[in-house]
Amino acid sequence: MAWIKRVSYGDSTGKLRNLYDRVKGPDDNVDNIMMIHSLRPHTLEGHMVMYKNVLHHSSNSLEKWFLELIGIWVSELNRCDYCVKHHFTGLKRLLQDDAKAIRLMNHLTEKKIHSMPLQNKEKLALEYAQLLTENPSKITKEIVKSLDKGGFSNGEVLEINQVVAYFNYANRTVLGLGCNTEGDILGLSPGNSNDPDDWSHN
């Protein structure tokens, strides 16, 4: 499950138990990516806040499935199978079209983003995500402006940027500590985008 010690739900107390109670799924299941923070609950709390606000907040204007797709792309580039598996399951649930989700995933796996059945501006966002993940110092003002010219508002550019940044953080948390999906329930995510404190899963 991981290369460092973790505190299980059953052994948790105090602040950690309170955080687990907010993030847990069915049968008191806590995803390994969250449990990996258990020796420092304050970092779990920070992770929870970042994840919820970046991907599951009502003030985001980009569709949630597209934010998930960006996250899967970043995770694929980083070879983070953990996040790919979790968020591909979430993508299928959001699209409610397994065939479409599989087609999109196949394009990502083959790194053929330009032939994906997406709008041109969505492909621009994936290009930006790739460069920011693989060679962030190469990002220029002109590249960011191209997203604006492509049809994204500045706020949406920020949403894209934050999803890319979050998944690079999550990927490095997972890969750097040997986290895997053993015991996880794939694809759970907070369903209520209007309440930042509601972590109930769907």
Side-chain angles (χ1 to χ4, degrees):
M1 292 172 64
W3 298 330
I4 62 171
K5 294 178 181 179
R6 288 152 290 102
V7 180
S8 69
Y9 179 84
D11 291 335
S12 63
T13 59
K15 178 174 181 146
L16 180 60
R17 171 58 70 92
N18 290 335
L19 292 171
Y20 276 176
D21 280 337
R22 288 176 60 195
V23 75
K24 69 183 182 180
D27 300 320
D28 295 332
N29 178 272
V30 178
D31 283 346
N32 292 331
I33 192 173
M34 295 301 177
M35 197 183 302
I36 210 166
H37 289 280
S38 59
L39 298 179
R40 296 292 184 271
H42 57 280
T43 68
L44 169 56
E45 189 169 31
H47 191 151
M48 289 168 61
V49 169
M50 190 188 316
Y51 172 66
K52 174 86 179 197
N53 285 304
V54 167
L55 277 172
H56 303 286
H57 197 284
S58 60
S59 294
N60 288 339
S61 60
L62 293 176
E63 292 186 77
K64 194 178 289 188
W65 73 265
F66 183 60
L67 298 179
E68 289 277 18
L69 185 71
I70 294 171
I72 295 168
W73 176 225
V74 170
S75 302
E76 182 67 28
L77 292 168
N78 285 325
R79 299 181 183 178
C80 181
D81 290 342
Y82 181 96
C83 291
V84 169
K85 289 176 181 177
H86 265 283
H87 291 275
F88 177 61
T89 302
L91 178 67
K92 288 194 293 184
R93 186 185 67 249
L94 290 167
L95 288 176
Q96 297 184 340
D97 184 341
D98 285 4
K100 180 177 181 180
I102 290 168
R103 283 197 305 274
L104 291 171
M105 188 67 235
N106 287 341
H107 279 81
L108 296 183
T109 301
E110 296 170 5
K111 295 184 170 49
K112 295 180 177 178
I113 59 174
H114 297 103
S115 59
M116 295 179 78
L118 297 172
Q119 298 177 40
N120 285 334
K121 72 174 189 176
E122 292 168 339
K123 295 176 187 178
L124 280 176
L126 294 179
E127 288 179 7
Y128 171 80
Q130 182 170 6
L131 190 59
L132 186 55
T133 297
E134 296 182 334
N135 207 339
S137 67
K138 296 295 184 182
I139 297 289
T140 64
K141 180 179 179 180
E142 289 69 30
I143 290 171
V144 173
K145 289 296 183 183
S146 73
L147 293 171
D148 182 37
K149 292 176 183 176
F152 290 110
S153 70
N154 277 196
E156 289 170 339
V157 173
L158 178 60
E159 287 179 37
I160 294 164
N161 171 273
Q162 290 299 285
V163 169
V164 176
Y166 166 74
F167 273 90
N168 274 293
Y169 160 74
N171 295 165
R172 282 153 178 78
T173 300
V174 166
L175 294 170
L177 295 172
C179 186
N180 63 44
T181 59
E182 181 182 346
D184 279 0
I185 300 173
L186 295 180
L188 293 180
S189 62
N192 184 350
S193 295
N194 295 310
D195 183 355
D197 295 320
D198 183 355
W199 271 79
S200 56
H201 288 82
N202 59 18

